[in-house]
Amino acid sequence: QVQLVESGGGLVQAGGSLRLSCAASGSIFGIKYMGWGRQAPGKQRELVARITRTGSTNYADSVKGRFTISRDNAKNTVYLQMNRLKPEDTAVYYCLIATVNDYWGQGTQVTVSA
């Protein structure tokens, strides 16, 4: 059983910053990458950032240069530092661990006011 516990969401003004954290526990083997996705109302979930065990990162164009993903392999924890937030970043953010299966967290709300 894999458990993902997310924290760090909240309400922030445009231009502000938030840091999300996700701690994974349980029987986790063969992690390909860890990441963060988001889903805004009426839209499909999109993967915005991911990081491999060796530290290689990828970002969606919409967040490139503003968001930074990092991880602590020893703690099975992944972080998302979000800077210069925009109202269009408002969404529920989900942590992801990709192995043979994909495991998603329960989500944390991020709201950016104009």
Side-chain angles (χ1 to χ4, degrees), residues 26-73:
S27 300
I28 307 172
F29 303 98
I31 297 177
K32 294 187 290 186
Y33 60 86
M34 301 178 76
W36 289 92
R38 68 184 182 187
Q39 187 166 16
K43 295 188 177 181
Q44 288 189 330
R45 188 176 300 184
E46 61 168 340
L47 188 64
V48 297
R50 67 177 189 176
I51 183 168
T52 67
R53 194 163 189 86
T54 58
S56 296
T57 58
N58 293 97
Y59 297 94
D61 288 342
S62 57
V63 307
K64 203 171 291 184
R66 300 186 298 121
F67 290 11
T68 302
I69 190 170
S70 59
R71 64 186 287 176
D72 184 332
N73 288 334

Side-chain angles (χ1 to χ4, degrees), residues 47-105:
L47 188 64
V48 297
R50 67 177 189 176
I51 183 168
T52 67
R53 194 163 189 86
T54 58
S56 296
T57 58
N58 293 97
Y59 297 94
D61 288 342
S62 57
V63 307
K64 203 171 291 184
R66 300 186 298 121
F67 290 11
T68 302
I69 190 170
S70 59
R71 64 186 287 176
D72 184 332
N73 288 334
K75 297 180 179 179
N76 271 345
T77 300
V78 62
Y79 307 95
L80 186 68
Q81 178 67 43
M82 305 185 292
N83 298 328
R84 304 201 312 274
L85 283 160
K86 305 175 181 180
E88 51 263 44
D89 293 318
T90 295
V92 178
Y93 283 71
Y94 298 89
C95 172
L96 165 67
I97 291 186
T99 64
V100 174
N101 302 305
D102 286 349
Y103 299 96
W104 291 93

